[in-house]
Amino acid sequence: MPDWSKEIRDVIAALDLPPAREAAVVEELGQHLGDRYDELLMAGVDPEAAYRILMLDLDDEGNLVAGLKATLHTSHQPLPFARYGHGSFVAGIWNDLRYGARLLLKRPGFAFAAIIALTLGIGAVTAIFSVVYGVILSPLPYRDPDRLVAVWSTNHGNRDAATPADFVDWRRENTVFSDLFALSITRVTVSNGEGTELVGAMYTTPGFARILGMPMLLGREFLPEEGEYGKSHVALLSYELWRDSFRSDPGVLGRQVRIDREPYTVVGVLKPAPTERETDRLFMPLAFRPEQITRDAHMLYAQGRLKAGVTLEQANAEMATIARRTAASYPATSKDWGARVEPLHNDFLEDSMKTALYLLLGAVGFVLLIACANVANLLLAQATLRQREIAIRGALGASRGQIFRQFLTESLLLAAIGAGLGVALAWGLLKAVIAIIPQYTLPQDQVIGVQIPVLLFTLGITIFSCLLFGSGPAWQAAHMNSSESMKDGSRSTSRAGGQRMRRALVVGEFALALTLLASGGMAIHSFWNLAHVDLGFRKDHVLTFLLPVSPGQLTQPDTITAFYRPLLEKIGALPGVSAVAAATGIPVYGPALHVPFTIAGQPTGDARSHPSSGLSMVTPGYFQSFGIRMDRGRAITEQDRTGTLRVAVVNESFVKQYLSGLDPVAQRVMIEPPAPSATRPSQPVEWQIVGVYGDVRNRGVRGEERPEIDVPFWQNPWAQPEIAVRTTGDPESVEQSIAAVIRSVDRDLPMAEVETMDQVVDESMGSDRFEAVLFGGFSGVALLLAALGIYSVMAFSVAQKTHEIGVRMALGADRGQVLRLVLRDGMVQALAGLVLGLTGAWFAGRALQNRLFGIGAIDSVALVSVSGVLLGAALLACFVPAWRASKVDPMLALREE
Amino acid sequence: VWLQYVAVKHIEARAIDRELKKGSAELLILSLIEYRARHGYEISKLIEQRSEGVLKFNVASFYPLLYRLEGRGLIAGRWVEKAGQRRRRYYKLTPQGKEMLKTQRSTWLNLVNAVRLITEAENA
């Protein structure tokens, strides 16, 4: 029998019909020719002649092609009950959408799995992008934010605050800023007659609100003359302070308040801040006495607005010129100093925060990719199951393009549902993310939320992911050989191409999942290391706080001692308190002062080359309160007071760095005694080292210990120390009784920054916890998705191979062999993904390396653990289908055929 | 000899076929599937048999015609599987096709009557 299919295809090849249509024509005409051929043979015609007759019939001098061209090509609508080609493109898509929706409802399992994956992927990306947009990308919430700049003093390229004299020069001599203002951030006590509280405050030159474009709710901004010394006792309240501490009093203007015990008049209230994170609650004019306008105290932040048309480069060029002039005129103070103009946007955002956010965005991008691979896999399986439907659609005249469009529309529908749910998830997730971001690392004025630009981004990634997961399966569906699949009868077989694609996707998923899991594992491992680091002190049962005494309140050593000594004694006598200390620096935060020093008897050289060390003034209870270990000599005692020998204790790092080979307790250090009110440097004096204590983490939990000198507080009293109280029970339970003691000494003095040391340590690890939780969480999601991916592929493959498994079992394979066969099949894919993923993990390790604590770029502990977890998950996911396969009844499986 | 006969017969049939095709083919097909669905080969076979070999369609002329009728919504084709057989595409009349058949049938009857009246009168 001649191969009529081939002959027909050759004749009609020129028509270039849609493949499904072509297949249907070939099948129908082939049957006709076959029947006719048989008939001719029965009538006695010899085969060769019959063949020639029918070949003449077939082409009929081009009539077939001409006829089909006229019918099939002029209208792609041969069948009334196929909707293809009817109406507009939009109507077609609408039909596809409705059909897709019906299909989803009919296959809830498939729909559920796909939508969950997309919701997780899109939700995670949207949440993290909301943070990235809010923190990094969105413009400042002020008028013309692009023209707002910060002006810095620079010293060998490092930026620093400006001196008052520099700021005065800059403002007078520049031609590039429409306005410039200076500010200084501090905290002040404010009493409104009902109570006293410590609030964040800003001293600023008049005009800041106008320059930034911050609107007033009540009253006015500072007048220019209120920036002069003696006229500056006026204040602006933030909306939040007005609301919380002044009960939104509309008559607040003109009211007297006491700020750091000085009387001020309220002249205005600002409108609400862009975010609740804003900590500046109170604003006072920055006014200098003439003697304060110096060039050696770098204490002011200068900000301004560029004139229209002035570029950053022009501004920088002019400021450099001004700075050079200043350096030439005042070489003693300004020789190495320059000036730099930077955009205000993100100027205070730490690079490490930026990096962390971008890394996280990358991580959730991986989650989305894994989700897309999962959905693509499910769709490929669906396309295989729908071979007959596709074939029928083809036979009904659907072109490849139309089938492609229909499958892609179904993907779009899935993506749209996933995006809708994803945005809802992102909204919840964002709240959780913001809750664990260390608050001080976020810009105070940038709004973080699911905003319009974020939604546009989500729309973009939805379309992107739809194309990503939908186009492969749609292409596969459009190119299925419909006549073959129709002949195949009821049992659809998966095509080798589709199967390969599905396996490749699983391998890819596992590779991505391992990369992400390795990152999560490393972040968690790093956090674990950090949580188990030897702090050098006991963080449990310690309460710390600060007493915001006013600058004018305690100025002399005698008054300071007279204030703190009885106070500490009273606190120490409280029930539940076992030790109490005052110190100018506590562990983790480290010393507040850094001073140059020399070792007595050693060559000193130029004063500029003297080494420097942290310096704390501590009362005798300090070492006991924090449980700090003395390695040598003695600690500071009650005998070390004014009039006795000046003594000091140093830490191990100090000994290692500066006293190696010497007996430390035989040395004396030379330090200028720090004095809070000193304006001129005094002469260095000798302090006898009497003890060495074990290193304490004094630059955050992560930071390396630095040399530190502790001297007796009573020999060198300081007005605003931290107070630390060791308790026998819950440290927070004694807070009220301590507050009562303080009120009994000074009723206007609040306890400020009350924190337990546990909280201090926790806060110090905030960034690490943030990364560990998020990387860990997202890698968990990745693990889940990858496991679901391999499960769906294996389950589908087993369902498709039921017949083959039946044959194997009929031929003598036992259940164990079948189980092993399926498991091996799945685990090969998982292992391939794992090997690929190790490369990804290596890159992830390099990207994270600077942020990790106590581990290298290749963290074998994390890698081995996450590989184990991933393989375990894969094994579990493959086991269910494998078990099902081993339960196949060979007779039933064969009968199905 | 047989081959020659077939070829001659084929050419003769084709001449008649060409003449009549335009007007009659649609009517023939629609009539044959008026009461039951038939597949393409069956329809073409029936046309040949009932016209005693005078009317004959080959593959090249028949299927474009069939598809055109389908495209116009006069007939509807459907793949049907029967036990022990290859699946085949069966065509049946649509309501639109029934209307069309009615119209064409009466037009043809009128025409044939008219032709008969003229030709019989001449012969008589």
Side-chain angles (χ1 to χ4, degrees):
Chain A
M1 166 89 89
D3 182 356
W4 295 116
S5 296
K6 184 184 169 301
E7 304 292 0
I8 298 164
R9 266 185 220 284
D10 287 349
V11 173
I12 65 171
L15 286 170
D16 195 24
L17 293 173
R21 190 69 178 110
E22 183 183 291
V25 170
V26 168
E27 187 178 3
E28 191 169 19
L29 268 60
Q31 284 175 2
H32 186 116
L33 291 176
D35 288 347
R36 183 91 182 105
Y37 181 80
D38 290 346
E39 211 176 68
L40 288 174
L41 293 192
M42 296 242 293
V45 182
D46 75 276
E48 202 178 318
Y51 171 73
R52 267 183 291 156
I53 290 167
L54 291 180
M55 281 309 289
L56 279 173
D57 264 7
L58 177 61
D59 184 32
D60 196 14
E61 295 163 2
N63 267 335
L64 179 66
V65 170
L68 288 179
K69 199 172 193 172
T71 47
L72 300 184
H73 263 227
T74 50
S75 69
H76 259 197
Q77 37 187 315
L79 291 185
F81 59 89
R83 293 176 180 273
Y84 296 106
H86 279 295
S88 66
F89 180 73
V90 176
I93 291 204
W94 175 239
N95 275 332
D96 289 346
L97 272 177
R98 283 198 319 194
Y99 183 75
R102 279 209 306 273
L103 265 188
L104 289 186
L105 289 175
K106 273 170 77 177
R107 299 175 188 198
F110 156 74
F112 182 75
I115 289 170
I116 284 289
L118 288 172
T119 302
L120 287 173
I122 294 176
V125 170
T126 303
I128 297 301
F129 182 74
S130 300
V131 181
V132 170
Y133 178 79
V135 173
I136 303 174
L137 304 176
S138 67
L140 284 167
Y142 303 120
R143 180 168 52 83
D144 288 342
D146 293 344
R147 283 166 49 207
L148 291 174
V149 291
V151 190
W152 295 91
S153 271
T154 56
N155 189 333
H156 297 107
N158 297 319
R159 68 186 199 182
D160 202 340
T163 66
D166 283 343
F167 173 72
V168 171
D169 289 350
W170 292 351
R171 191 149 73 165
R172 192 179 54 232
E173 295 175 26
N174 91 81
T175 60
V176 289
F177 304 111
S178 64
D179 229 327
L180 208 57
F181 69 96
L183 62 97
S184 162
I185 304 286
T186 182
R187 279 172 311 185
V188 294
T189 56
V190 52
S191 316
N192 58 2
E194 295 168 17
T196 303
E197 60 180 321
L198 185 73
V199 298
M202 185 194 278
Y203 283 99
T204 164
T205 52
F208 80 102
R210 176 177 46 80
I211 297 170
L212 288 177
M214 291 163 82
M216 305 295 298
L217 182 72
L218 297 173
R220 58 167 176 84
E221 211 209 316
F222 304 132
L223 303 172
E225 58 267 29
E226 286 166 347
E228 293 167 22
Y229 189 73
K231 297 178 184 168
S232 62
H233 276 207
V234 290
L236 287 179
L237 309 181
S238 74
Y239 173 82
E240 292 73 21
L241 185 70
W242 178 66
R243 179 193 61 197
D244 299 341
S245 303
F246 291 83
R247 296 189 194 134
S248 304
D249 176 10
V252 75
L253 296 183
R255 241 177 93 173
Q256 291 268 313
V257 291
R258 293 179 74 78
I259 296 172
D260 277 348
R261 294 172 197 256
E262 301 265 338
Y264 280 74
T265 308
V266 176
V267 295
V269 177
L270 287 163
K271 282 204 170 159
T275 73
E276 286 284 327
R277 284 191 305 278
E278 188 67 67
T279 52
D280 301 326
R281 296 289 167 106
L282 194 59
F283 302 83
M284 282 88 67
L286 184 65
F288 297 109
R289 290 193 301 268
E291 69 270 23
Q292 286 177 315
I293 303 182
T294 64
R295 293 187 192 276
D296 48 14
H298 290 266
M299 53 183 274
L300 297 181
Y301 295 105
Q303 295 176 3
R305 189 175 275 284
L306 290 175
K307 280 183 182 163
V310 173
T311 65
L312 204 61
E313 289 71 33
Q314 289 166 333
N316 264 313
E318 184 173 278
M319 290 309 294
T321 310
I322 295 174
R324 268 197 301 276
R325 237 176 3 236
T326 309
S329 310
Y330 308 96
T333 51
S334 311
K335 192 167 72 113
D336 295 324
W337 291 86
R340 186 162 75 220
V341 186
E342 296 177 355
L344 189 58
H345 186 233
N346 282 343
D347 208 36
F348 291 87
L349 185 65
E350 283 176 35
D351 281 345
S352 66
M353 186 68 193
K354 255 192 225 179
T355 316
L357 288 179
Y358 280 128
L359 283 173
L360 266 176
L361 194 60
V364 290
F366 271 33
V367 172
L368 182 62
L369 281 180
I370 295 172
C372 284
N374 250 5
V375 179
N377 237 326
L378 291 169
L379 284 171
L380 281 172
Q382 286 290 309
T384 305
L385 291 174
R386 286 166 66 185
Q387 265 178 17
R388 282 180 60 79
E389 176 209 325
I390 294 161
I392 290 167
R393 283 176 175 271
L396 296 186
S399 66
R400 279 180 180 170
Q402 281 165 327
I403 291 178
F404 184 83
R405 188 188 72 189
Q406 187 208 318
F407 269 73
L408 208 58
T409 309
E410 287 173 34
S411 300
L412 191 66
L413 189 66
L414 280 176
I417 298 172
L421 293 174
V423 168
L425 175 69
W427 189 78
L429 204 56
L430 185 58
K431 286 191 161 184
V433 169
I434 291 176
I436 56 167
I437 292 184
Q439 288 297 303
Y440 55 87
T441 60
L442 287 180
Q444 295 183 355
D445 44 10
Q446 303 276 75
V447 179
I448 300 171
V450 183
Q451 305 174 61
I452 300 290
V454 173
L455 290 177
L456 288 176
F457 174 82
T458 306
L459 183 69
I461 56 158
T462 304
I463 293 171
F464 168 76
S465 38
C466 170
L467 291 176
L468 200 63
F469 70 72
S471 50
W475 189 87
Q476 199 213 8
H479 287 77
M480 276 179 176
N481 188 337
S482 53
S483 61
E484 268 171 33
S485 54
M486 284 203 274
K487 268 185 221 155
D488 233 343
S490 61
R491 190 171 62 88
S492 51
T493 51
S494 52
R495 291 168 69 245
Q499 186 121 339
R500 269 201 303 276
M501 212 192 286
R502 284 201 301 278
R503 282 162 187 273
L505 280 172
V506 166
V507 171
E509 264 183 70
F510 267 76
L512 289 173
L514 184 78
T515 307
L516 205 48
L517 270 176
S519 316
M522 285 189 283
I524 290 170
H525 188 193
S526 158
F527 185 70
W528 195 92
N529 283 346
L530 207 53
H532 290 79
V533 81
D534 178 14
L535 296 169
F537 68 95
R538 280 177 55 199
K539 66 186 172 97
D540 60 294
H541 295 97
V542 183
L543 189 75
T544 68
F545 60 94
L546 194 71
L547 293 177
V549 293
S550 306
Q553 197 183 348
L554 302 172
T555 50
Q556 296 306 312
D558 294 349
T559 51
I560 298 172
T561 305
F563 178 80
Y564 281 107
R565 197 181 270 281
L567 184 69
L568 294 189
E569 278 167 9
K570 281 184 184 169
I571 293 173
L574 285 172
V577 172
S578 61
V580 61
T584 57
I586 61 170
V588 180
Y589 289 136
L593 302 171
H594 285 84
V595 293
F597 69 92
T598 54
I599 308 288
Q602 289 191 1
T604 56
D606 179 20
R608 281 168 178 255
S609 64
H610 290 173
S612 79
S613 163
L615 176 74
S616 295
M617 284 77 86
V618 304
T619 60
Y622 176 78
F623 296 92
Q624 194 191 343
S625 295
F626 286 105
I628 297 170
R629 185 184 75 241
M630 290 305 296
D631 282 350
R632 211 175 317 175
R634 65 169 177 90
I636 287 164
T637 66
E638 288 294 342
Q639 278 66 54
D640 302 317
R641 56 179 69 198
T642 324
T644 61
L645 176 71
R646 289 177 191 272
V647 296
V649 291
V650 296
N651 68 354
E652 260 175 78
S653 293
F654 187 94
V655 174
K656 263 187 227 149
Q657 204 164 332
Y658 301 116
L659 303 175
S660 64
L662 299 171
D663 177 13
V665 292
Q667 309 301 318
R668 284 158 295 142
V669 283
M670 310 282 292
I671 314 169
E672 295 168 12
S677 54
T679 48
R680 303 261 159 235
S682 55
Q683 283 303 307
V685 295
E686 277 186 12
W687 307 73
Q688 173 66 50
I689 297 176
V690 294
V692 177
Y693 61 93
D695 277 340
V696 168
R697 290 273 155 170
N698 56 10
R699 288 176 66 220
V701 176
R702 254 174 177 270
E704 292 288 305
E705 291 90 351
R706 282 198 172 171
E708 190 177 325
I709 306 169
D710 291 4
V711 299
F713 185 85
W714 303 131
Q715 287 184 346
N716 206 92
W718 195 258
Q720 248 188 37
E722 297 256 1
I723 312 287
V725 180
R726 173 159 290 280
T727 61
T728 48
D730 175 13
E732 281 171 322
S733 68
V734 296
E735 188 181 335
Q736 290 309 317
S737 42
I738 294 174
V741 168
I742 293 164
R743 265 199 309 278
S744 74
V745 175
D746 182 342
R747 64 175 294 275
D748 277 341
L749 196 59
M751 271 170 93
E753 300 189 8
V754 185
E755 278 181 306
T756 65
M757 272 320 272
D758 281 318
Q759 287 166 339
V760 170
V761 170
D762 261 18
E763 266 171 34
S764 165
M765 301 193 300
S767 297
D768 297 272
R769 180 181 304 102
F770 171 66
E771 285 171 27
V773 168
L774 288 191
F775 274 109
F778 290 132
S779 48
V781 173
L783 175 70
L784 185 75
L785 288 175
L788 277 177
I790 199 163
Y791 169 77
S792 70
V793 165
M794 293 317 295
F796 183 73
S797 157
V798 164
Q800 293 279 297
K801 281 190 194 154
T802 307
H803 177 71
E804 182 196 321
I805 294 167
V807 171
R808 278 173 190 271
M809 291 177 83
L811 292 177
D814 63 23
R815 299 197 186 285
Q817 280 170 322
V818 170
L819 195 72
R820 277 195 297 281
L821 181 78
V822 178
L823 280 182
R824 196 179 59 211
D825 189 22
M827 293 315 280
V828 162
Q829 297 169 50
L831 274 172
L834 206 70
V835 170
L836 266 179
L838 285 176
T839 322
W842 185 79
F843 281 109
R846 283 179 61 96
L848 285 170
Q849 196 172 14
N850 290 336
R851 328 186 55 77
L852 297 175
F853 182 80
I855 45 183
I858 297 177
D859 176 13
S860 42
V861 176
L863 275 183
V864 169
S865 338
V866 298
S867 301
V869 168
L870 195 62
L871 281 182
L875 198 63
L876 203 66
C878 293
F879 187 77
V880 179
W883 181 253
R884 209 178 290 150
S886 73
K887 292 287 162 202
V888 163
D889 180 342
M891 290 326 289
L892 270 180
L894 291 177
R895 215 176 295 147
E896 271 180 22
E897 178 65 352
Chain B
V1 176
W2 215 95
L3 183 64
Q4 204 175 4
Y5 164 77
V6 172
V8 171
K9 186 90 179 157
H10 182 71
I11 291 163
E12 187 189 348
R14 257 171 71 171
I16 301 169
D17 176 40
R18 288 257 163 83
E19 290 301 313
L20 292 174
K21 196 187 237 170
K22 278 177 197 159
S24 65
E26 285 187 7
L27 176 61
L28 298 177
I29 295 172
L30 295 178
S31 309
L32 286 172
I33 58 171
E34 185 176 6
Y35 299 112
R36 52 175 292 199
R38 298 182 195 277
H39 57 77
Y41 183 70
E42 192 183 358
I43 299 170
S44 75
K45 194 77 197 151
L46 278 173
I47 292 174
E48 192 181 342
Q49 278 173 358
R50 295 198 181 166
S51 67
E52 295 181 338
V54 175
L55 289 177
K56 207 168 162 183
F57 287 91
N58 63 18
V59 171
S61 54
F62 180 69
Y63 283 94
L65 189 59
L66 211 52
Y67 294 154
R68 188 157 58 232
L69 288 173
E70 200 178 18
R72 284 162 59 196
L74 300 176
I75 63 175
R78 193 160 68 94
W79 288 99
V80 174
E81 278 176 80
K82 288 188 179 166
Q85 288 184 10
R86 281 181 300 184
R87 62 178 202 145
R88 284 181 178 278
R89 195 156 162 79
Y90 279 78
Y91 293 89
K92 66 171 189 179
L93 220 48
T94 66
Q96 256 176 296
K98 276 187 182 142
E99 283 300 308
M100 179 60 83
L101 176 60
K102 223 195 279 177
T103 321
Q104 285 204 2
R105 189 175 267 153
S106 66
T107 311
W108 261 95
L109 281 179
N110 290 341
L111 180 65
V112 170
N113 273 337
V115 171
R116 191 192 298 137
L117 283 175
I118 296 164
T119 50
E120 277 175 5
E122 285 296 306
N123 285 344

